[in-house]
Amino acid sequence: MPKNRSHGKIDKLPDTIKKAVENKLLEGYTYQQISDHLKELGHDVHYSSVHRYGKPFLKQFESVRMAKEFAQLLAEDNAERPTTELHEANNALISHLLMEMLVDEAKPAEAKLKTYRAIAKLQTAQVQNERLKITSRKEAGTVRAAMNMLKERVFKEIQDNHPDVVELMVRIADEVTAESGQN
């Protein structure tokens, strides 16, 4: 069965206009104001179409914002925090996003089944993370390389079923890394 994709009027707009719609949503414009603006640009888009596009967009943006804040708090909390704890935070963020997908009544059963599989794979990764913590205490110099391997494995497992989640997490991790001045 093909993946469900949005085919609303906003999705069919040119990328520059679609990005402008997203910016207006983030700036707090009402759906009616955005619809009126699009009509001025020659695109007959009803406010209900803006709402159908804007509601999940804003929900995802809020989830990303909260995840970013959580990651920043972890990074600021203790600069000496082991990387395994940051990995646990990543797992918590992934779990949150996956659980949101499960409770979404609009998601078809097949998509939910894939989400369950992703959760099982995430749990496997969490067990591996616990093993890694034990090993890292014994072999302090190898923890960074092992975490990179574990991250790659987790991202690969999740990316097979939810590439949008992986893209989001990589973007957040890169932003946190840049803001903390680490490489």
Side-chain angles (χ1 to χ4, degrees):
M1 178 175 246
K3 190 176 180 180
N4 283 350
R5 294 183 56 200
S6 178
H7 295 291
K9 286 188 175 184
I10 302 285
D11 289 304
K12 295 176 185 174
L13 293 173
D15 287 341
T16 55
I17 294 176
K18 185 175 165 184
K19 187 69 175 165
V21 167
E22 292 171 354
N23 287 337
K24 287 189 176 293
L25 286 166
L26 295 174
E27 291 169 9
Y29 285 80
T30 67
Y31 299 134
Q32 186 63 56
Q33 289 172 323
I34 296 170
S35 173
D36 293 343
H37 176 70
L38 290 170
K39 287 176 183 171
E40 289 172 8
L41 296 175
H43 300 282
D44 188 25
V45 179
H46 195 266
Y47 79 91
S48 61
S49 293
V50 178
H51 175 264
R52 279 190 298 276
Y53 181 83
K55 187 174 180 182
F57 172 80
L58 290 172
K59 182 179 177 184
Q60 183 177 16
F61 179 82
E62 183 62 18
S63 290
V64 171
R65 187 191 62 75
M66 288 174 53
K68 182 179 177 184
E69 286 180 11
F70 181 64
Q72 284 175 329
L73 286 174
L74 278 174
E76 292 169 1
D77 181 40
N78 183 352
E80 301 301 316
R81 181 178 299 277
T83 55
T84 53
E85 290 185 29
L86 292 176
H87 176 72
E88 288 172 5
N90 280 340
N91 284 350
L93 295 174
I94 291 171
S95 294
H96 173 75
L97 292 170
L98 291 174
M99 294 309 287
E100 280 185 358
M101 295 175 79
L102 285 177
V103 298
D104 185 350
E105 294 176 9
K107 294 286 182 191
E110 184 177 313
K112 289 185 178 186
L113 180 60
K114 287 182 179 182
T115 302
Y116 285 123
R117 288 182 185 139
I119 290 170
K121 290 176 183 180
L122 181 60
Q123 289 172 338
T124 300
Q126 288 170 331
V127 168
Q128 292 171 346
N129 189 47
E130 287 303 313
R131 288 181 187 151
L132 178 62
K133 282 202 283 190
I134 292 167
T135 302
S136 69
R137 289 182 189 118
K138 295 175 185 175
E139 303 172 16
T142 61
V143 73
R144 177 163 267 135
M147 281 305 298
N148 286 337
M149 288 173 47
L150 182 59
K151 286 177 188 175
E152 288 175 14
R153 177 180 273 165
V154 169
F155 281 113
K156 177 160 180 16
E157 294 290 336
I158 300 296
Q159 188 167 14
D160 289 345
N161 293 314
H162 303 287
D164 52 332
V165 172
V166 172
E167 180 182 321
L168 193 59
M169 290 189 62
V170 168
R171 191 175 336 131
I172 291 169
D174 288 345
E175 289 174 6
V176 170
T177 300
E179 290 172 6
S180 66
Q182 298 176 0
N183 290 330

